[in-house]
Amino acid sequence: MEWVVLYFIGFIATTLGTLAGGGGLINLPVMLLLGIPIHSAIGANKVSNTVSSFSSFFVLLKRKRISLKDCIWIMPLSLAGGAAGGLIATKLSGQHLYILAIILLLFAFITSFLGKGDFSGEERLKLGKVSIPGLFGIGMYDGLFGPGQGTLMLYLFSYLKISYIQAVGYVRFATFFSCLGAAVTYIASGNIIWPLTIALLLGSVTGAQLGVRIAEKINPKYVKPILRIVTIALIIQIVIENVHI
């Protein structure tokens, strides 16, 4: 019955994650509660996120809601940031990583009330003094810690006055590349429990397809409140986990 549970967890988590990020705050704790070893749980998440993020990105690309030309340079920034974050993570304690995550999420939460971005703009994503360090920094955060990466990117795109549906596509594109390398590593290390991973993957792909279709219809003015709820949930989860370190 575990595979049935994982299918629905993947479905629910990826639907939410596509809309506002934070899907990891649902599926990873549930997998650990089911007794799945942590490396296998993280590996299953990376494999499923790689496939599901590409599937939702491809839908938006095919429908011409985003342009590959506009988002292709996200790839080197995400990869470089993730690699830098992974190197820094080896030098920091787990507790310091949790503290850094809380600070960044709180900063994003507070600035969401101060900034004027509301996803109603139609600006194209382009290289700039905010987008370059922003995307590199979030890629670094993903390499350092991970949970909340998609949420932070949505805050950034809101600030840059990118439309919501384009922002979703860019986040899914970045997530594909940030998860791909990790997925290959976990597969090579033999940590993948394939029956459970495939169940999570199938649920995630289904959730990604539903999420991207909801994103096309959702009113942008409702996105910020959803993001704030997800941010608070992420902070609470991180604090609870930190207490148990």
Tab-separated table of all heavy atoms in Angstrom, residues 23 42 56 69 74 91 107 120 137 148 150 156-157 185 192 204 206 239-240:
chain	number	residue	atom	x	y	z
A	23	GLY	N	6.580	22.151	-2.173
A	23	GLY	CA	6.056	20.787	-2.210
A	23	GLY	C	6.832	19.829	-1.323
A	23	GLY	O	6.278	18.871	-0.795
A	42	ILE	N	15.125	11.330	-0.143
A	42	ILE	CA	15.614	12.507	-0.879
A	42	ILE	C	15.852	12.142	-2.338
A	42	ILE	O	15.500	12.901	-3.249
A	42	ILE	CB	16.913	13.042	-0.234
A	42	ILE	CG1	16.620	13.575	1.177
A	42	ILE	CG2	17.514	14.147	-1.104
A	42	ILE	CD1	17.856	13.985	1.942
A	56	SER	N	5.937	19.850	-16.714
A	56	SER	CA	5.121	21.072	-16.633
A	56	SER	C	5.762	22.209	-17.426
A	56	SER	O	5.055	23.011	-18.065
A	56	SER	CB	4.909	21.477	-15.169
A	56	SER	OG	6.130	21.516	-14.468
A	69	LYS	N	14.196	31.019	-25.395
A	69	LYS	CA	15.251	32.029	-25.518
A	69	LYS	C	15.359	32.876	-24.258
A	69	LYS	O	16.457	33.250	-23.835
A	69	LYS	CB	14.961	32.916	-26.725
A	69	LYS	CG	15.998	34.007	-26.959
A	69	LYS	CD	15.629	34.854	-28.162
A	69	LYS	CE	16.643	35.984	-28.361
A	69	LYS	NZ	16.291	36.844	-29.520
A	74	ILE	N	18.900	30.748	-17.440
A	74	ILE	CA	18.665	30.339	-16.055
A	74	ILE	C	19.528	29.116	-15.730
A	74	ILE	O	19.994	28.953	-14.604
A	74	ILE	CB	17.169	30.004	-15.831
A	74	ILE	CG1	16.322	31.269	-15.926
A	74	ILE	CG2	16.943	29.327	-14.476
A	74	ILE	CD1	14.829	31.021	-15.822
A	91	LYS	N	30.964	22.964	4.529
A	91	LYS	CA	31.715	23.700	5.554
A	91	LYS	C	30.833	24.157	6.718
A	91	LYS	O	31.342	24.631	7.730
A	91	LYS	CB	32.379	24.939	4.934
A	91	LYS	CG	33.209	24.661	3.694
A	91	LYS	CD	34.415	23.786	3.989
A	91	LYS	CE	35.251	23.588	2.723
A	91	LYS	NZ	36.395	22.686	2.963
A	107	PHE	N	12.996	36.935	5.317
A	107	PHE	CA	13.285	38.106	4.490
A	107	PHE	C	12.324	38.163	3.299
A	107	PHE	O	11.757	39.225	2.983
A	107	PHE	CB	14.733	38.045	3.999
A	107	PHE	CG	15.091	39.146	3.024
A	107	PHE	CD1	15.327	40.434	3.475
A	107	PHE	CD2	15.183	38.886	1.666
A	107	PHE	CE1	15.644	41.449	2.579
A	107	PHE	CE2	15.501	39.888	0.766
A	107	PHE	CZ	15.734	41.177	1.225
A	120	SER	N	1.313	40.734	-11.984
A	120	SER	CA	0.406	41.262	-13.000
A	120	SER	C	1.165	41.861	-14.174
A	120	SER	O	0.560	42.263	-15.171
A	120	SER	CB	-0.518	42.329	-12.395
A	120	SER	OG	0.239	43.417	-11.905
A	137	GLY	N	21.936	33.323	-6.331
A	137	GLY	CA	21.795	33.166	-4.882
A	137	GLY	C	20.772	32.105	-4.509
A	137	GLY	O	20.997	31.324	-3.583
A	148	GLY	N	12.010	25.314	-0.185
A	148	GLY	CA	11.695	26.734	-0.313
A	148	GLY	C	12.318	27.388	-1.537
A	148	GLY	O	12.059	28.565	-1.804
A	150	GLY	N	11.721	26.982	-4.768
A	150	GLY	CA	10.702	27.435	-5.720
A	150	GLY	C	9.941	28.639	-5.210
A	150	GLY	O	9.621	29.564	-5.979
A	156	LEU	N	11.114	36.352	-6.295
A	156	LEU	CA	12.032	37.110	-7.153
A	156	LEU	C	11.340	37.529	-8.445
A	156	LEU	O	11.432	38.695	-8.859
A	156	LEU	CB	13.267	36.254	-7.473
A	156	LEU	CG	14.243	36.858	-8.499
A	156	LEU	CD1	14.886	38.131	-7.954
A	156	LEU	CD2	15.331	35.838	-8.877
A	157	PHE	N	10.642	36.611	-9.091
A	157	PHE	CA	9.985	36.927	-10.358
A	157	PHE	C	8.846	37.935	-10.161
A	157	PHE	O	8.563	38.748	-11.044
A	157	PHE	CB	9.467	35.655	-11.025
A	157	PHE	CG	10.571	34.753	-11.502
A	157	PHE	CD1	10.525	33.385	-11.280
A	157	PHE	CD2	11.675	35.268	-12.167
A	157	PHE	CE1	11.543	32.556	-11.710
A	157	PHE	CE2	12.702	34.455	-12.605
A	157	PHE	CZ	12.630	33.097	-12.387
A	185	THR	N	23.244	11.570	-9.162
A	185	THR	CA	24.117	11.178	-8.050
A	185	THR	C	23.470	10.110	-7.177
A	185	THR	O	24.104	9.113	-6.821
A	185	THR	CB	24.455	12.410	-7.184
A	185	THR	OG1	25.101	13.384	-7.990
A	185	THR	CG2	25.370	12.020	-6.030
A	192	ILE	N	18.345	4.506	-4.562
A	192	ILE	CA	16.971	4.600	-5.048
A	192	ILE	C	16.218	3.286	-4.830
A	192	ILE	O	16.682	2.214	-5.232
A	192	ILE	CB	16.940	4.952	-6.551
A	192	ILE	CG1	17.664	6.281	-6.802
A	192	ILE	CG2	15.500	5.019	-7.043
A	192	ILE	CD1	17.031	7.474	-6.130
A	204	SER	N	3.719	12.715	-9.002
A	204	SER	CA	4.275	14.049	-9.211
A	204	SER	C	3.994	14.570	-10.611
A	204	SER	O	3.671	15.753	-10.794
A	204	SER	CB	5.794	14.030	-8.952
A	204	SER	OG	6.076	13.705	-7.604
A	206	THR	N	1.488	13.699	-12.541
A	206	THR	CA	0.059	14.019	-12.587
A	206	THR	C	-0.223	15.351	-11.901
A	206	THR	O	-0.968	16.195	-12.415
A	206	THR	CB	-0.767	12.909	-11.908
A	206	THR	OG1	-0.411	11.641	-12.452
A	206	THR	CG2	-2.260	13.137	-12.105
A	239	VAL	N	11.711	25.137	11.715
A	239	VAL	CA	11.895	25.338	13.150
A	239	VAL	C	11.683	24.036	13.912
A	239	VAL	O	12.468	23.670	14.802
A	239	VAL	CB	10.951	26.434	13.683
A	239	VAL	CG1	10.961	26.460	15.195
A	239	VAL	CG2	11.346	27.795	13.125
A	240	ILE	N	10.619	23.301	13.566
A	240	ILE	CA	10.325	22.014	14.230
A	240	ILE	C	11.476	21.030	14.020
A	240	ILE	O	11.927	20.361	14.966
A	240	ILE	CB	9.008	21.420	13.694
A	240	ILE	CG1	7.825	22.281	14.178
A	240	ILE	CG2	8.837	19.984	14.191
A	240	ILE	CD1	6.498	21.880	13.555
